[in-house]
Amino acid sequence: MISQKMMQLGKKRSTIREIFEYAKIRKAKIGDDKVFDFSIGNPSVPAPKCINDKLTFLLKGDSVALHGYTSAQGDKQTRHAIATHAKKTQGADIDEELIYMTMGASAALSITFHAICSSAEDEFIVFAPHFPEYKVFIESSGGKMIVSQSDRDTLMPDFDALEGQLNKNTKAVIINTPNNPTGVIYPESVIKRLSKLLKDKCKEFSTQIFLVTDEPYRELVYDDRKVPYVTNYYDNTIVCYSFSKVLSLPGERIGYISVCPKMKNATDVYAAVCGAGRSLGYVCCASLFQKMIPLVIGKCADLSIYKRNRDLLYDSLINMGYNCIHPDGAFYLFMQTPEEDAFAFCEQAKKYELLMVPSNDFGYEGFVRIAYCVTTKQIESALPAFEKLAVQYGLQPKQQKT
């Protein structure tokens, strides 16, 4: 016999991946330029030039040392560079001896959940709309995912609902800011309120509640918005970070886990992270890209292209009569569907070769996620299709400002 659970996961891709694969089929049939695929968060902006330059430099060095194993938890020089950068840019209390290098944020999350889940009763609270794979990562660690709905108007945490869900079995709360799928950023006031609530509940239940912050989009912000560094507000924080988006390197799978040194029993928690990485086979992630990080840390891809895409897409859709959440970060637009059934709306959109992700997979109803990390040309070409869809639903164009 084999694991039925694993078999089902293997047979059924996520909705995002299903649409992505459908797009490939359509493109092969009618041409790339006729299919408007907004399904997956795959950066279209090239990696900074320094990436290729530094990789070329490294490849000219000692091949055996470059491609050999690093320490299981990651190269010490790389972990030192990450800690130094966080201290300099965020004023963060971060310890290189409490950093664990990973194959991107997904591995970081999976390792973290395995490290802190100690019972089948452990509950992990996520805020909807949320990244769909949280459920897979949490349940594979043996825990239970509890969905807390966000405020419908602001898409910030509904603190009244959250307080009612926190209990002695709460092991962690997971936040993702800037958020996938909404682009919303939690301001400092929200982080402070969340931190105080969790501190109070830790005392009330005599437990340790972790705050796991999923940060692949930390630097992808617009209009001078700030993303609070959570360890500055809550000691029991575990940071799961990825360089995939900021450096346009999603396929290289490079990221890290950082355990806040102010955390109670921080060294034991870190040991559990190392143990979880070992048990999952997530040790010594790609040596070449680990050794690249100290040479490029602080650099980023050209975010002005994403901002231009955001402004073009948001303004155009609003003017057509659609309702959208204004994204302050990441590269996703969350658009309300003109009918309640988001799946049905997406099926209608396919008639115009528009491919979007229904919000149901994100634990939310009545919206679609539009990934605008595509070329600006694709957005420009897709606008007539969006307009035809708006006409089909009888949306009223908004008056242009003069």
Side-chain angles (χ1 to χ4, degrees):
M1 289 293 291
I2 59 174
S3 167
Q4 295 299 302
K5 184 177 180 179
M6 294 300 111
M7 182 183 71
Q8 291 305 316
L9 282 174
K11 284 187 173 182
K12 177 66 172 71
R13 296 187 184 99
S14 71
T15 300
I16 296 170
R17 288 284 175 177
E18 290 286 357
I19 298 170
F20 181 59
E21 294 301 324
Y22 172 83
K24 290 182 179 180
I25 295 171
R26 292 298 295 162
K27 287 177 181 179
K29 187 173 183 178
I30 66 174
D32 285 8
D33 61 331
K34 295 181 176 65
V35 179
F36 311 118
D37 180 14
F38 296 99
S39 65
I40 199 166
N42 194 29
S44 64
V45 175
K49 183 178 181 296
C50 64
I51 297 295
N52 285 346
D53 291 344
K54 298 305 181 184
L55 288 174
T56 300
F57 168 76
L58 287 170
L59 289 168
K60 292 178 179 178
D62 182 345
S63 178
V64 173
L66 179 63
H67 298 298
Y69 288 127
T70 66
S71 298
Q73 69 269 37
D75 180 71
K76 185 175 179 61
Q77 184 179 355
T78 302
R79 291 182 285 120
H80 175 75
I82 290 168
T84 301
H85 181 71
K87 290 173 184 176
K88 179 180 178 182
T89 60
Q90 306 295 336
D93 190 358
I94 184 170
D95 185 345
E96 64 194 73
E97 298 302 326
L98 298 176
I99 292 174
Y100 189 94
M101 300 303 298
T102 67
M103 282 70 90
S106 292
L109 290 163
S110 187
I111 291 169
T112 296
F113 298 154
H114 277 79
I116 64 179
C117 185
S118 58
S119 164
E121 300 302 313
D122 285 350
E123 296 179 357
F124 294 74
I125 297 177
V126 303
F127 295 106
H130 60 80
F131 182 51
E133 296 301 279
Y134 288 161
K135 182 177 176 64
V136 177
F137 301 153
I138 290 168
E139 291 185 351
S140 69
S141 76
K144 299 178 182 178
M145 187 177 85
I146 307 297
V147 177
S148 186
Q149 292 295 329
S150 299
D151 182 275
R152 189 78 180 180
D153 295 324
T154 65
L155 291 180
M156 297 293 165
D158 182 333
F159 282 98
D160 290 334
L162 174 62
E163 186 166 8
Q165 292 171 307
L166 291 165
N167 61 73
K168 62 182 178 61
N169 292 324
T170 303
K171 181 54 63 89
V173 174
I174 295 93
I175 61 173
N176 172 219
T177 171
N179 179 260
N180 172 13
T182 68
V184 164
I185 295 173
Y186 290 177
E188 185 181 43
S189 59
V190 167
I191 299 300
K192 283 183 173 180
R193 186 175 177 184
L194 178 59
S195 299
K196 183 180 184 307
L197 176 60
L198 295 184
K199 289 173 186 176
D200 290 345
K201 292 300 179 180
C202 285
K203 291 179 181 178
E204 179 182 340
F205 303 131
S206 297
T207 58
Q208 184 176 22
I209 301 175
F210 296 98
L211 183 54
V212 179
T213 174
D214 177 20
E215 302 194 350
Y217 304 100
R218 162 167 284 281
E219 292 86 2
L220 270 67
V221 297
Y222 313 108
D223 306 318
D224 298 320
R225 289 296 304 272
K226 302 296 182 185
V227 180
Y229 203 81
V230 182
T231 61
N232 292 334
Y233 304 89
Y234 188 69
D235 292 350
N236 290 320
T237 295
I238 301 176
V239 176
C240 295
Y241 181 87
S242 172
F243 292 96
S244 294
K245 313 300 184 181
V246 67
L247 293 176
S248 288
L249 296 173
E252 310 306 344
R253 313 307 294 170
I254 185 76
Y256 64 83
I257 300 166
S258 176
V259 174
C260 180
K262 295 177 290 185
M263 179 187 295
K264 179 184 176 182
N265 300 325
T267 54
D268 287 343
V269 174
Y270 181 70
V273 165
C274 295
R278 179 185 178 188
S279 71
L280 292 167
Y282 288 151
V283 296
C284 181
C285 71
S287 173
L288 173 61
F289 282 89
Q290 282 196 60
K291 291 171 182 175
M292 177 199 71
I293 294 302
L295 305 178
V296 301
I297 196 163
K299 305 297 183 183
C300 64
D302 186 357
L303 303 186
S304 68
I305 297 173
Y306 295 140
K307 183 179 185 303
R308 182 169 71 232
N309 287 357
R310 180 203 67 172
D311 292 344
L312 172 62
L313 185 61
Y314 177 83
D315 292 344
S316 298
L317 295 181
I318 290 294
N319 286 330
M320 291 176 194
Y322 293 103
N323 292 318
C324 306
I325 303 297
H326 188 270
D328 293 314
F331 40 50
Y332 306 108
L333 184 67
F334 211 48
M335 184 179 81
Q336 189 171 9
T337 55
E339 65 171 297
E340 289 186 11
D341 189 337
F343 280 104
F345 175 76
C346 287
E347 287 302 309
Q348 291 298 315
K350 283 182 179 179
K351 296 193 302 186
Y352 306 100
E353 303 299 341
L354 288 169
L355 304 180
M356 300 169 281
V357 182
S359 61
N360 304 66
D361 252 28
F362 301 99
Y364 216 69
E365 295 183 352
F367 283 79
V368 290
R369 188 191 78 170
I370 305 173
Y372 57 81
C373 50
V374 297
T375 63
T376 304
K377 182 179 179 181
Q378 177 176 315
I379 295 174
E380 292 170 341
S381 300
L383 291 179
F386 276 111
E387 193 159 15
K388 290 175 183 175
L389 187 60
V391 170
Q392 177 181 323
Y393 278 95
L395 301 184
Q396 297 300 313
K398 291 182 173 59
Q399 293 292 326
Q400 295 282 351
K401 294 181 180 180
T402 58

